[in-house]
Amino acid sequence: MPSPQLAQIYARSENRVIGANGRIPWRLPDDFAHFKRTTMGRPIIMGRKTYEDHESALPGRLNLVVTRDGSYQAAEGVEVVACLDQAMARAGEASDLAFIIGGVGLFEQTFDRVQTVYETVVHAEIKGEAVLPVFNFEGWQRNVLEEHPVDDRHAFAFTILRWDRSPVAHGGA
Ligand SMILES: NC(=O)c1ccc[n+]([C@@H]2O[C@H](COP(=O)([O-])OP(=O)(O)OC[C@H]3O[C@@H](n4cnc5c(N)ncnc54)[C@H](OP(=O)(O)O)[C@@H]3O)[C@@H](O)[C@H]2O)c1
């Protein structure tokens, strides 16, 4: 089975929170537009709790939900898989690139295999129970895609970064 290239995409606060009370703790339409633009047409792989934040298929993308609950039922257009390897195999049938879209456990479990990370840093300190560990981006290439100010639709400023693992950091020659 072909394995797709993997990327991660997330938004985190300065203190590394990505979720509070099972939800994303901010509403930033222009970051959501970036998420949609970046992932459109690609398989998206998510943990069961991330799926339950919206409980419907995100359109235009193969939606894969990972759970250990063998009887889990998801909405129409969402496929349930038992483990990450199964998610990767299914994603590889559909595309050569797939996105891990959360939550914390999935980001942790896949960091060593991703080539690219789209990281939005929300310039705020937020309270929440879903907290990302510090990933080691040493040797990765860092690009700033956008610096977004506070405006009437965005309560927080944010920076959208793209990190690419260099061949050397990946262990290549
Ligand atoms: N800011 C962002 O960019 C962003 C992105 C995504 C999510 N979020 C937020 O993050 C929170 C949810 O994230 P979370 O970390 O709490 O949970 P999560 O990772 O979305 O879901 C965890 C669940 O996924 C399943 N799972 C994880 N690894 C698995 C594996 N290897 N094999 C099989 N199943 C596996 C398990 O489901 P079962 O218990 O059913 O077995 C586990 O309990 C929400 O607040 C959400 O809004 C934020």
Side-chain angles (χ1 to χ4, degrees), residues 112 114-115 138-140 165-173:
D112 286 344
V114 295
Q115 206 54 40
E138 202 183 318
W140 290 56
R165 192 189 292 276
S166 76
V168 172
H170 199 41

Side-chain angles (χ1 to χ4, degrees), residues 109-148:
Q109 293 171 63
T110 58
F111 185 74
D112 286 344
R113 350 183 189 168
V114 295
Q115 206 54 40
T116 304
V117 175
Y118 293 88
E119 179 179 48
T120 296
V121 181
V122 179
H123 299 301
E125 300 281 325
I126 303 282
K127 285 196 178 121
E129 72 288 346
V131 182
L132 278 187
V134 176
F135 294 125
N136 182 4
F137 285 111
E138 202 183 318
W140 290 56
Q141 192 184 337
R142 179 184 183 274
N143 286 296
V144 176
L145 300 185
E146 189 179 344
E147 296 273 14
H148 197 297

